[in-house]
Amino acid sequence: MKMDNINKSILRDRIKKLRAGMALQEKQEKDRLLYNNIISSGVLDNVRQVYIFVSYGTEVDTKAVIEMLLRAQCYEVCVPRVHGSEMEFYRINDLSDLTSGYNGILEPVCGNPVLHCNGIMFLPGLVFDIYHGRAGYGGGFYDRYLYRHREDNIYKIGLAYDFQVLKEEKIDMEAHDVRPDIIITEKAVY
């Protein structure tokens, strides 16, 4: 099914409602399974820089992943901060380095943006498809960031609950839309 902008909007609303409708215990179990899939997938092997979004609201919980990466002390953990219509990533040493920022999302308080990316990036998204299509929240922050850093070595990983991955439909991607290299859910790696 080809989706136009209206359909993407409707699809975003549908997925937001599904995520919001999860019971806390169900969400925590899905987050635990997804965390285990991240670890067992091998994406963290032989990598130093990890670019990861700080989860907000009903998104896949990334805080446990961030805490594990920081405890390991062998990763450079970088999280985003929004400046107007652009986004940059900043290295953090602790979750206490974060404060409420754009739309209430936790962002780094200070530091200098990372200039060159060489590692993996966990991408948020509302809807994915098995062809690695992605519909984000509509702001285009990751698309613009990744375009600016297109010469850098970034392996892109979508994180989502399995119900956020379309199995029979295909998201109509535009030229500037970024596709993740893989998508990790609580049930599978696509």
Side-chain angles (χ1 to χ4, degrees), residues 76-105:
E76 185 177 307
V77 181
C78 306
V79 300
R81 182 166 79 192
V82 171
H83 304 276
S85 64
E86 297 300 328
M87 177 181 74
E88 297 294 340
F89 278 82
Y90 294 77
R91 184 173 182 193
I92 62 166
N93 297 309
D94 193 84
L95 284 174
S96 65
D97 294 344
L98 307 176
T99 189
S100 182
Y102 177 79
N103 282 349
I105 300 169

Side-chain angles (χ1 to χ4, degrees), residues 24 36 52-53 80 104 109 113 130 148 150 157 166-167 177:
L24 180 59
N36 290 341
I52 185 167
F53 65 97
V109 176
I130 60 171
R148 286 194 332 268
R150 64 191 172 279
I157 303 161
L166 304 175
K167 314 302 190 288
D177 290 336

Side-chain angles (χ1 to χ4, degrees), residues 133-171:
R134 173 182 171 269
Y137 294 87
F141 292 106
Y142 281 84
D143 294 327
R144 286 189 300 278
Y145 181 86
L146 288 165
Y147 181 79
R148 286 194 332 268
H149 291 269
R150 64 191 172 279
E151 300 299 321
D152 291 353
N153 183 22
I154 304 171
Y155 187 74
K156 300 168 292 301
I157 303 161
L159 288 184
Y161 298 118
D162 207 70
F163 64 80
Q164 293 176 255
V165 181
L166 304 175
K167 314 302 190 288
E168 297 177 8
E169 300 165 309
K170 188 174 180 182
I171 298 171

